Amino acid sequence: MVAFDVTSLVPASVWNEGPTPGALQEMLDSIDKHTEQVRSDLFYNMMSSLAGSADLSVLKAMASLDGISSSSGTEQWVAQHANKYMEMQEHVAKLQAELKAAQAAADLEATLKEFKGFLDNGQFNDAAYHLVQLRKILEDTSSSSSSSDNGGYSKGGMPLASAELMQLQEACTRCTRDLEEALESSLAEAFDCALDHGVITITSALPGGGDVGDLWGAMELAGSAERHLAAIADKLLQQVLPHVLNGTALLHCQLSGESEARIQWYAAQPQPDGSFSTEHVEQACMQLLALLAQALFRQRPSTLREFGGCFWGGFVGQYQAAFLQQVQGSSVALLQARQEAARQMEQQAVAVGLAEPGSDLASCLSRAIQQSYHVVQEQYLAEARELLASHDRLAPPVVVGQPLPLDAGFYQRYKEGRVKAWEVLDPPSGWDVSGPVLATGYYHVSATVLQQVMMIDDALAHACHQGDTSMAQAIVGAVSKMSAMFSSMLPAPAAADAPSLALLRHNDLQYLAGHLLVLPFLFGPELKALLGSYVWLGNDALRLRGAARAAFNDVVSGQQASIRQELQPLLQWSAALAAGKPMPPKEAEAAAAARDKATPATLYTLRRAGKDLWGTLAPGVALEASQQLLDTLAGLLVGDVLKKQDIGESEASELVQLYRPLAEKAVQELLGDVDLSSQGSLEGLDLRDLVAGALHHRCGALRKLDAVLGLLAARLAAIVDAWERGQLAAAGLSLVEVRRLVVALFEDTDYRAQCLQRMECCE
């Protein structure tokens, strides 16, 4: 800033005359004149600084001073110059815009001409590069147009930027369409698909000029490569590979020369069993991948990577699905060979760039094989489930088992009366222990359990044949689950409503449990070699036997309840006798009628129960159930007699008359008319007689009942004698029971006291 001396504005009259009014007025005039000069200099300097500025806001503000009436002459002068300058600026801007538009049109025309020349000559990369440049120019022009507040105007009044933008848009659209048509036409020449005839022809050197590699480069620049690669991948995945992967078509890939290749597939011939071979699937797929990489994609990394993104995932999915279906009937050696081939195929795909490292197709196949084991297990379980769902509980049963191995020496001694009690009480009671272990006689099972056992045997035989540890583990697990399903899925029939069906269920469960225990002997060595230890299904067998025992107990409990119910009239009549009170005539008549019906009803119940037991169960099990029923019957009668505190002579006689038929006929009625001849054959042997003898020996309550009934009609001396000789103890009577019976039967005399003392001394 230049220093200014204020004293220069003070007139000389002020210094000579002093501050007179005239001198002061002269000084004020000098200051006003200087002020006007300074303002003019400042406006001039501002105009000079705005001459090259694009911001016309200040100039517009200056131009607005012309309309202010209070402005001085200097402001009006400045406003006039500002208006003129603005007009010049607008004219220059319009000329520049027109020049720019003309230059842009010329450049665009040259670019389009070059683009057309490249396209006609098959130089797709150069043509695509020019299209990319056009798009960049269009993008830049669009950005500058949107950021500009007010552009110049053409002669027609349209904004120049908008006119240029429209030309660029039209040019880009036209070039994009032309390039896309040329690329699609060339791709059709390079990748000719005759899918109906099973042939794909690949031409590397395009007939219209150029190489297929340049074609893919142009597509990548134009942004259309992904769409065309996806279309090629879909054709291969949908039309070619499904038939190749399942073995129904053979794939032949051939590279003839350097410019042409052929992919051909044709129907394969089935094997004698109707299936198709899949041994060479991986080799065919590797040939396909190699041919595509070399002939169609010209080893371009970017193109192969983008094609792999469209193709590899779908291919792996189809391959795994086909592999999963094929592993079920393939040997372990073939599966291992295919796994190794799949690993090589994946390595090749990674090497050419179709797949990313680390996808590990071989591990996926291992998981697929593991899944196939699960599928095999589920198939067996589904078959078992279907079998159990179709079970007909009313279907005729099947006879299974082996004849009883009878001991001829035992039965000869039995007929001669030389068999000791322990020999009868200790099972197998006349069975030849040196005979077959599983020879338990004949019994009934359902056809369903036989089919279940066959299914289990087939499954384990398949596991041994495959020779694969995981397969064997899966199938052994399936066998365990199948046995559990048999127990849980088949509804247990009500023992009270259908005892024979409940007993049939018992036999089914026992039969299946027995077979599970035999399996280690049938398949033990083979399964041990696979699993490292013997297969033990004992826990499953124990669970089945527990369910069988529950069904057996339900039936026996129901039959015991029926016997108790039928005996109630007899027990009530016995109680009335003990009470000694006369009953009203009608009640006495009804009680007598019920008493008379009780014995035949009870014997009929025994006959019906015996028919179910001996007609369904194995002899040993039927013998056990029969013993429980006879013990129940005899136990009730014995208990009724022993609980009486006073028994008169007539009452004792009537009790013998009521209970003796049951004691004598119970065994005979229980066996009924059941045919036991087929259970075992031995010359001169009556098996029914032997079973009846075994029941008499085993049923302690029945022997006890026979002894009690004998005591009711015996003299006191005979009772003491029988006790001293041990006959009563052998029949199961204790001293307390005999003493109680003696006290109830005989009056309290010295002789009774002496007899009781004698019995106590003998104990």
Side-chain angles (χ1 to χ4, degrees), residues 421-534:
W422 66 265
E423 292 184 87
V424 179
L425 296 177
D426 185 23
S429 298
W431 295 5
D432 188 356
V433 294
S434 63
V437 177
L438 300 180
T440 58
Y442 292 110
Y443 55 96
H444 287 172
V445 296
S446 67
T448 301
V449 74
L450 296 179
Q451 296 177 23
Q452 180 83 80
V453 166
M454 292 177 59
M455 192 179 298
I456 289 175
D457 290 348
D458 291 343
L460 293 178
H462 177 67
C464 296
H465 174 71
Q466 287 294 314
D468 184 79
T469 299
S470 299
M471 177 71 77
Q473 290 174 343
I475 291 181
V476 170
V479 169
S480 178
K481 293 178 181 178
M482 288 161 66
S483 64
M485 287 169 55
F486 189 89
S487 176
S488 60
M489 283 191 62
L490 291 184
D497 300 334
S500 60
L501 294 180
L503 292 175
L504 189 66
R505 172 178 171 81
H506 161 270
N507 289 352
D508 286 349
L509 295 172
Q510 286 283 21
Y511 185 83
L512 183 57
H515 191 74
L516 292 181
L517 295 176
V518 173
L519 287 178
F521 301 95
L522 299 177
F523 302 98
E526 294 86 351
L527 293 178
K528 182 182 179 182
L530 293 174
L531 303 178
S533 61
Y534 281 105

Side-chain angles (χ1 to χ4, degrees), residues 733-748:
L733 286 168
S734 66
L735 177 61
V736 175
E737 292 172 335
V738 176
R739 179 185 177 85
R740 180 184 303 164
L741 190 58
V742 169
V743 170
L745 287 171
F746 301 97
E747 295 181 359
D748 186 8

